[in-house]
């Protein structure tokens, strides 16, 4: 840990950032505008060893826009939507798909640069950074395919009680999209892309970490979509987000982050019932390890579930309940596997533990550990809690109880609390009383015992995983949560629905109306009222 940070000469040339990214442009109304005001410097969580002195790598800067630029972005978006009369919301599905496919091709040209910035800005491993980029491209393609299927279904007419109607989905209007720093590309695009393709216009604010990696995409956005359809804002939320919300002109809030911030944003809107909220919030997903679980299999899966990307995932396993009869062998094997994890820099082969991007995170994790130790917990794995600047080696805490903060709080980092239980009611009651309700993982081999857990738990969380870690994918599966964990459901198909609303054109069936509708359809006079569909 003492010598974990590299010298510049130790870093392979293909992974270096030799030139800082001085982003001095922002996208509004189809124009890349130059910014000559203040900037926010960006430093990496990766430190460089310069003759024995550790210095964080300077990566570049981005604009700190003001309320004036934020309102200009809003004006451009409102004009582009034009109360549903704009080019983008009235465009045919086929044409919107064309623009998105064009963007995808241009986006793919930025892969190397975006992957490199993912490593340096947020400490994501090379493999995970590549996977995030590729998964995002796959998500766009899957979204396009899902929209084609939806469009084919919607192309037919319904006739009920003498009334003929065509039912399709229509956009809401202006969508404000704000993603999280742990998946700044993928999670952001899982809201931005479906909102966009359904005909909404976008104001996009990157997360607090992972801003620069979006800069290569600005040109692709500009060249792929009509003016005003995509607009970007940067800077302090109080300066650029509050005015947007207080304007009352945001029709959809797509936000992935904390419930505290989501509540603030929603309360800033003067007409919150007119605004659709799509929220991905906190989670405290539990693992329940039953007495007949396969120790080798479960420890491998729990290490991945708890500590992939340093545990900085909303779907991470953040508390482990293990039956007391197997607690000792589980902890022995689990601690061995945790201690064997390689800590290092994101580009290093087989590295699992990387620098943490969030300022003050290590201090917070240490306070959780100290609080747990005060109430009887111990760090049971070798090197647990060892740290250097931004690198924190995972700490497995046992025994953990309800007096400890880590029992309740979402740590969002490499601290793993373990609780031994004698009655299955203990972990079930924990999940029932939790503020969160995203997922749970059950490990065991008794079909009767597992089935008895499934039936109540599906009414507390939105995904029950059997002998596997909690996760989002595949993207075709619903992704949501109960209680304070989410609002709205995201998956490839669900997202298309959450960012649109069913609307229809209807008429009484009569010779005159039949002839009128046939003329509109035959001569392609309307993009909405149409029986055309995309193969």
């Amino acid at each position: 840990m003492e010598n974990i940070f590299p010298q510049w000469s130790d870093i392979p040339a293909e992974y270096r950032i030799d030139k800082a990214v001085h982003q001095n442009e922002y996208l509004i109304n189809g124009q890349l505008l130059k910014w000559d005001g203040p900037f926010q410097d960006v430093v990496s969580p990766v430190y460089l060893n310069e003759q024995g002195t550790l210095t964080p790598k300077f990566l570049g800067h981005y604009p700190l826009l003001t309320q004036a630029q934020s309102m200009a972005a809003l004006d451009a978006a409102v004009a582009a939507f034009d109360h549903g009369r704009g080019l983008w919301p009235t465009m045919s599905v086929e044409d919107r798909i064309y623009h998105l496919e064009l963007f995808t091709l241009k986006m793919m040209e930025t892969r190397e640069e975006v992957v490199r910035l993912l490593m340096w800005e947020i400490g994501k491993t090379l493999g995970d950074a590549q996977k995030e980029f590729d998964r995002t491209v796959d998500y766009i393609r899957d979204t396009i395919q899902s929209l084609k299927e939806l469009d084919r279904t919607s192309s037919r007419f319904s006739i009920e009680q003498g009334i003929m109607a065509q039912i399709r989905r229509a956009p809401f209007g202006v969508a404000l999209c704000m993603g999280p720093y742990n998946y700044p590309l993928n999670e952001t695009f899982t809201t931005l892309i479906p909102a966009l393709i359904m005909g909404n216009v976008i104001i996009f604010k990157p997360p607090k970490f992972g801003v620069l990696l979006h800069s290569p995409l600005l040109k692709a956005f500009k060249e792929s979509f009509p003016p005003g359809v995509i607009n970007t804002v940067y800077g302090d939320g109080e300066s650029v987000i509050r005015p947007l919300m207080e304007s009352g002109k945001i029709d959809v809030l797509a936000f992935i982050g904390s419930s505290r911030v989501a509540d603030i944003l929603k309360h800033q809107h003067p007409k919150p019932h007119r605004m659709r909220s799509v929220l991905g919030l906190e989670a405290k997903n539990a693992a329940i390890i039953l007495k007949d679980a396969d120790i080798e299999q479960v420890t491998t899966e729990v290490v991945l579930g708890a500590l992939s990307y340093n545990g900085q995932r909303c779907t991470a396993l953040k508390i482990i309940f293990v039956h007391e009869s197997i607690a000792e062998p589980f902890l022995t094997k689990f601690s061995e596997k945790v201690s064997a994890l390689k800590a290092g820099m994101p580009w290093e082969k087989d590295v699992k533990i990387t620098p943490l991007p969030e300022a003050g995170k290590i201090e917070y994790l240490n306070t959780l550990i100290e609080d747990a130790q005060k109430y009887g917990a111990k760090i049971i794995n070798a090197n647990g809690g060892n740290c250097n600047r931004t690198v924190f080696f995972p700490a497995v805490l046992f025994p953990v109880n309800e007096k400890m903060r880590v029992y309740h709080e979402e740590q969002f980092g490499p601290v793993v609390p373990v609780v031994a239980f004698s009655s299955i009611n203990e972990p079930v009651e924990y999940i029932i009383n939790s503020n969160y309700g995203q997922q749970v993982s059950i490990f065991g081999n008794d079909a009767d015992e597992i089935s008895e857990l499934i039936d109540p738990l599906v009414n507390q969380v939105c995904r029950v995983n059997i002998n596997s870690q909690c996760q989002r994918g595949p993207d075709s599966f619903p992704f949501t949560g109960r209680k304070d964990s989410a609002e709205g459901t995201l998956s490839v198909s669900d997202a298309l629905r959450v960012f649109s609303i069913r609307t229809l054109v209807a008429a009484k069936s009569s010779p005159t109306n039949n002839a009128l509708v046939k003329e509109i359809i035959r001569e392609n006079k309307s993009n909405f009222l149409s029986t055309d569909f995309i193969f």
Side-chain angles (χ1 to χ4, degrees):
M1 188 67 75
E2 182 179 349
N3 299 312
I4 197 166
F5 292 109
Q7 298 182 39
W8 185 249
S9 58
D10 296 332
I11 303 171
E14 64 267 31
Y15 304 135
R16 296 177 186 171
I17 293 184
D18 294 304
K19 185 178 180 181
V21 180
H22 295 297
Q23 184 187 331
N24 61 356
E25 294 180 324
Y26 58 102
L27 178 63
I28 290 182
N29 203 30
Q31 298 296 317
L32 286 173
L33 304 176
K34 297 290 184 180
W35 176 247
D36 58 3
F39 291 87
Q40 174 65 54
D41 287 345
V42 178
V43 296
S44 174
V46 173
Y47 280 66
L48 297 179
N49 189 334
E50 299 173 342
Q51 297 179 338
T53 300
L54 295 180
T55 306
K57 168 67 174 172
F58 175 72
L59 298 179
H61 62 219
Y62 60 85
L64 284 174
L65 304 182
T66 69
Q67 180 174 338
Q69 291 75 44
S70 180
M71 298 310 291
L74 178 62
D75 290 343
V78 168
F81 192 73
D82 191 20
H83 305 285
R85 299 172 298 188
L87 173 64
W88 188 250
T90 59
M91 187 179 290
S92 70
V93 170
E94 186 173 14
D95 287 343
R96 286 205 297 265
I97 287 174
Y98 164 79
H99 284 278
L100 200 58
E101 288 176 334
L102 176 62
F103 170 77
T104 307
L105 292 174
K106 294 179 180 294
M107 175 182 173
M108 291 171 64
E109 296 173 359
T110 70
R111 182 180 187 270
E112 184 177 333
E113 186 175 1
V114 172
V115 166
R116 189 184 302 115
L117 284 166
L118 273 166
M119 289 193 292
W120 283 93
E121 278 196 88
I122 65 169
K124 185 154 285 192
T125 66
L126 172 61
D128 284 347
Q130 292 170 332
K131 187 185 301 181
E132 179 167 351
F133 188 96
D134 295 340
R135 182 180 177 185
T136 304
V137 171
D138 289 341
Y139 181 88
I140 297 174
R141 289 171 172 161
D142 290 344
T143 299
I144 290 172
Q145 186 59 40
S146 185
L147 180 56
K148 289 179 179 179
E149 294 170 3
L150 178 63
D151 187 62
R152 286 194 288 268
T153 302
S154 303
S155 65
R156 61 186 294 271
F157 271 73
S158 297
I159 301 176
E160 296 285 344
Q161 300 178 19
I163 296 177
M164 57 180 174
Q166 186 169 48
I167 306 169
R168 290 186 180 272
R169 304 198 71 88
F172 288 104
V174 179
L176 173 60
C177 295
M178 302 169 65
Y181 78 79
N182 58 331
Y183 288 89
L185 183 69
N186 183 258
E187 292 279 8
T188 299
F189 274 44
T190 58
T191 61
L192 186 153
I193 293 301
L196 183 64
I197 202 170
M198 293 308 291
N200 299 283
V201 296
I202 309 296
I203 299 175
F204 162 48
K205 181 182 183 296
K208 57 184 177 180
F209 309 113
V211 179
L212 295 180
L213 64 89
H214 291 97
S215 60
L217 299 172
L218 289 181
K219 185 180 178 182
F221 278 129
K222 174 186 181 298
E223 294 177 348
S224 303
F225 298 103
V229 172
I230 292 277
N231 308 276
T232 60
V233 294
Y234 304 88
D236 177 67
E238 189 70 16
S239 300
V240 298
I241 299 302
R242 177 184 282 273
L244 295 176
M245 299 302 295
E246 291 180 343
S247 73
K249 296 179 181 179
I250 298 299
D251 301 298
V252 185
L253 171 63
F255 174 78
I256 301 176
S258 72
S259 56
R260 180 187 64 83
V261 174
D263 289 343
I264 291 172
L265 294 173
K266 291 177 72 172
H267 289 145
Q268 289 172 350
H269 200 290
K271 299 177 180 178
H273 298 298
R274 293 191 181 184
M275 181 180 69
R276 169 67 62 93
S277 294
V278 184
L279 309 175
L281 307 172
E282 304 102 323
K284 183 79 170 175
N285 294 335
I288 302 175
I289 305 171
L290 304 174
K291 57 181 177 294
D292 65 340
D294 181 326
I295 298 295
E296 181 64 33
Q297 185 270 336
V298 73
T299 50
T300 298
E301 198 70 18
V302 172
V303 168
L304 287 171
L307 294 170
S308 293
Y309 187 44
N310 305 311
Q312 297 172 121
R313 300 179 299 122
C314 66
T315 57
L317 292 172
K318 299 193 177 79
I319 187 165
I320 314 301
F321 288 90
V322 59
H323 193 273
E324 60 183 10
S325 65
I326 61 166
E328 184 176 346
F330 167 80
L331 288 166
T332 299
K333 179 63 70 172
F334 183 61
S335 297
E336 288 176 0
K337 291 184 177 182
V338 171
S339 296
L341 295 175
K342 179 181 178 180
M345 297 302 102
W347 51 84
E348 294 177 13
K349 184 180 179 181
D350 299 326
V351 73
K352 301 299 181 184
I353 304 301
T354 55
L356 305 173
E358 195 173 6
K361 189 68 181 186
I362 287 181
E363 290 79 4
Y364 169 71
L365 296 175
N366 280 325
T367 63
L368 290 181
I369 291 173
E370 292 167 5
D371 174 77
Q373 289 173 328
K374 182 172 66 174
Y375 291 104
K378 295 180 180 179
I379 298 175
I380 63 168
N381 62 304
N383 301 315
N386 286 357
C387 57
N388 185 356
R389 301 301 194 276
T390 55
V391 179
F392 185 97
F393 197 79
V396 180
L397 295 174
F398 180 82
V400 167
N401 60 55
E402 68 277 2
K403 296 178 182 179
M404 305 172 188
R405 288 172 56 189
V406 74
Y407 184 86
H408 305 280
E409 296 180 24
E410 182 193 26
Q411 64 272 37
F412 211 74
V415 170
V416 186
V418 181
V419 183
F421 70 90
S422 57
S423 168
I424 193 61
N425 288 331
E426 295 172 50
V428 171
E429 286 296 320
Y430 175 88
I431 293 168
I432 290 172
N433 295 319
S434 173
N435 290 327
Y436 310 114
Q438 189 195 78
Q439 299 186 33
V440 65
S441 289
I442 304 171
F443 295 90
N445 292 293
D446 187 323
D448 291 335
E449 190 171 15
I450 290 175
S451 62
E452 288 180 6
L453 285 172
I454 289 173
D455 290 350
L457 290 179
V458 293
N459 296 322
Q460 289 294 322
V461 300
C462 289
R463 177 166 168 164
V464 175
N465 303 277
I466 298 175
N467 289 321
S468 59
Q469 62 174 302
C470 298
Q471 58 188 313
R472 173 171 179 148
D475 285 326
S476 57
F477 288 2
F479 180 62
T480 186
R482 297 172 183 264
K483 306 177 188 178
D484 292 338
S485 285
E487 191 171 326
T489 300
L490 293 175
S491 71
V492 171
S493 58
D494 289 314
L496 296 176
R497 292 170 172 81
V498 82
F499 286 105
S500 60
I501 190 168
R502 295 180 84 198
T503 188
L504 66 154
V505 175
K508 287 185 177 180
S509 182
S510 69
T512 300
N513 284 343
N514 293 349
L516 177 64
V517 170
K518 283 181 180 179
E519 181 182 351
I520 292 172
I521 293 172
R522 184 174 57 250
E523 298 184 17
N524 295 317
K525 293 179 179 291
S526 168
N527 285 330
F528 184 98
L529 195 64
S530 172
T531 56
D532 286 348
F533 59 86
I534 309 166
F535 288 101

